[in-house]
Amino acid sequence: MARPNQARLDLGALRHNIGHARALAPHSKVMAVVKANAYGHGAAIIAKTLEPLADALAVACIEEAVELRAAGISAPILLLEGFFEESELALAATENFWICVGNERQLSCLENAQLQQPMHVWLKIDTGMHRLGIDADLAESALKRLNTTPNVANDVVLCTHFASADDLDGTQTREQLEQFNEVCKNLPGKLSAANSPGILGWPDSHFDWIRPGYMLYGNSPFSAPHKNTDALQPVMTLSSAIISIRDVAAGESVGYGASWTASRPSKIATVTIGYGDGYPRLARNGTPVLVNGQRASLAGRVSMDMITVDVTDVEDASLGDEVILWGADLPVGEVAEWAGTIGYELTTRMPARTPRIIAAP
Ligand SMILES: *Cc1c(COP(=O)(O)O)cnc(C)c1O
């Protein structure tokens, strides 16, 4: 029998989730974000599935966009970090890669390039994230420059990015929205601001283009339940199986560093998935896993290829039984919290070692 690990992908869930994003923002175009190997799910299969349902796709850089073209994707693809050197521009122009421009270096490089055809540009404006984008007070002059160079098509989109849209009670998103509206109110061009938490939680942020990433994969960016996240369906189910099972007496420890000690006579199952397979090493004792659909908890440190699970209270846990690490009944975000991170990181870090298996299409 082959090693049983799988990251099963439910493409029906993916289609459902992009439909949900559209339903929440019915007047906006949808740019589906598939950077970083589609958040670890597999860029080609995810982009192929989303292409007919999205108005455009987005990735971080030209290498990711080229990979999608090689996989047969013909939709426009926005490069979210723009370009790093002028040599990328000619290829971007011929391949219909759209580019974000977010600093003076990119702007002047674009003005000075000798291009055969104009580029489609998104002008990134910094409204408080302070990561990328030109300062708000320079937006007007930057836009003028873009609109006068023959290297840029006359459809520049003005965009910004939220720093804390997942914090629904905070003030920052409101402030960023106010600044974005203020800067853009007299400028020509379509607008875009919303990432997943914007789409789900901030209806005023939808504008002309939404840019969903994480929610497409069926996961909620919020730490608390929210009415708009109930409908999301996780795309990835990470599963493995029990390969060993034993009784451990009270007082005995389990695993590297003896970080877990049995407080009662316990049944411990060894599951063949570890940090080399995408399961986070920092997951703490008590992290939930599903064994035969029942919740059990991690007992002992995560190894490279294995974890150990306390199945004392699981009925009939036996060799070969399926173990689900995250999926529909165990949100990746919940597991991530036990590991001191976010679900984004867990799916994105899924290594090639774990096969992606397409579940019923
Ligand atoms: C990654 C990214 C997104 C998508 O964010 P999610 O929270 O995953 O929806 C949107 N816009 C930009 C600029 C990004 O870099």
Side-chain angles (χ1 to χ4, degrees), residues 37 285 342 358:
N37 198 26
N285 286 324
I342 54 176
I358 307 304

Side-chain angles (χ1 to χ4, degrees), residues 114-134:
Q114 305 276 325
L115 300 180
Q116 303 300 315
Q117 61 211 97
M119 313 268 327
H120 294 284
V121 170
W122 285 40
L123 177 61
K124 180 88 163 254
I125 301 168
D126 180 13
T127 56
M129 172 83 170
H130 300 330
R131 187 181 64 174
L132 286 182
I134 54 157

Side-chain angles (χ1 to χ4, degrees), residues 276-294:
D277 308 294
Y279 192 80
R281 182 175 175 279
L282 294 180
R284 301 196 312 275
N285 286 324
T287 303
V289 305
L290 296 177
V291 179
N292 292 333
Q294 301 164 61

Side-chain angles (χ1 to χ4, degrees), residues 31-35 39 58-60 78 80-81 100 124 131-132 159-162 192-199 210-217 221 344:
M31 168 160 285
V33 181
V34 296
K35 63 193 177 193
Y39 294 47
V59 295
L78 177 67
L80 291 165
E81 292 186 358
C100 274
K124 180 88 163 254
R131 187 181 64 174
L132 286 182
C159 65
T160 194
H161 194 58
F162 294 131
S192 177
N195 52 2
S196 292
I199 295 160
I210 55 170
R211 305 190 307 264
Y214 194 54
M215 70 175 290
L216 297 178
Y217 308 100
Y344 287 71

Side-chain angles (χ1 to χ4, degrees), residues 313-334:
D313 298 325
V314 173
E315 278 168 50
D316 303 328
S318 18
L319 279 183
D321 283 357
E322 184 182 61
V323 176
I324 290 182
L325 292 315
W326 58 71
D329 298 318
L330 179 54
V332 67
E334 184 180 339

Side-chain angles (χ1 to χ4, degrees), residues 85-231:
E85 44 188 87
E86 190 190 328
S87 63
E88 296 168 61
L89 286 174
L91 181 63
T94 52
E95 291 289 335
N96 197 20
F97 299 154
W98 302 354
I99 52 169
C100 274
V101 166
N103 58 48
E104 176 57 37
R105 192 181 61 83
Q106 288 176 329
L107 187 54
S108 51
C109 184
L110 189 50
E111 285 177 313
N112 296 327
Q114 305 276 325
L115 300 180
Q116 303 300 315
Q117 61 211 97
M119 313 268 327
H120 294 284
V121 170
W122 285 40
L123 177 61
K124 180 88 163 254
I125 301 168
D126 180 13
T127 56
M129 172 83 170
H130 300 330
R131 187 181 64 174
L132 286 182
I134 54 157
D135 290 352
D137 56 355
L138 297 175
E140 186 170 3
S141 64
L143 181 62
K144 267 204 190 102
R145 285 166 62 189
L146 291 171
N147 279 336
T148 43
T149 164
N151 288 334
V152 173
N154 222 340
D155 58 1
V156 176
V157 175
L158 302 167
C159 65
T160 194
H161 194 58
F162 294 131
S164 40
D166 58 325
D167 177 6
L168 295 167
D169 304 318
T171 57
Q172 191 179 18
T173 304
R174 181 69 40 227
E175 287 160 14
Q176 286 194 261
L177 270 171
E178 274 166 22
Q179 181 164 34
F180 190 55
N181 279 312
E182 180 61 28
V183 171
C184 299
K185 73 173 184 232
N186 295 320
L187 300 180
K190 303 283 189 205
L191 305 181
S192 177
N195 52 2
S196 292
I199 295 160
L200 292 160
W202 301 87
D204 311 352
S205 75
H206 293 168
F207 298 113
D208 301 298
W209 280 93
I210 55 170
R211 305 190 307 264
Y214 194 54
M215 70 175 290
L216 297 178
Y217 308 100
N219 304 311
S220 170
F222 304 129
S223 50
H226 185 281
K227 64 177 170 34
N228 288 341
T229 63
D230 291 345

